[in-house]
Amino acid sequence: MTLDIQLFAVPFRKVSKTRKRMRRAHNAMVKPGVCTCPNCGEVIKPHRVCSACGTYKGKTEVVLKEENQEEVA
């Protein structure tokens, strides 16, 4: 009679709660840094052009199209 037994790697000791939590300490979610646009007050990421008004450091960098314009065929 032959038995087909597969042996797997088994931990020598149980991993304690402290060691497990220390290993996972860097996996926490981080709240992204945000600031407000000085021109329009929209919440934006720092050091980026405002997507609402197109300004950066008080200068107009991007000219945005009006969303309410009707298309002429």
Side-chain angles (χ1 to χ4, degrees), residues 18-63:
T18 304
R19 183 152 308 271
K20 176 175 60 175
R21 290 171 183 166
M22 282 172 42
R23 183 176 67 240
R24 296 178 181 173
H26 67 281
N27 291 342
M29 298 288 283
V30 178
K31 185 177 177 182
V34 293
C35 62
T36 57
C37 176
N39 190 33
C40 66
E42 185 78 19
V43 177
I44 58 171
K45 289 184 178 181
H47 307 290
R48 284 167 178 77
V49 176
C50 179
S51 60
C53 63
T55 60
Y56 179 68
K57 291 189 177 180
K59 298 178 185 175
T60 303
E61 298 290 335
V62 178
V63 178

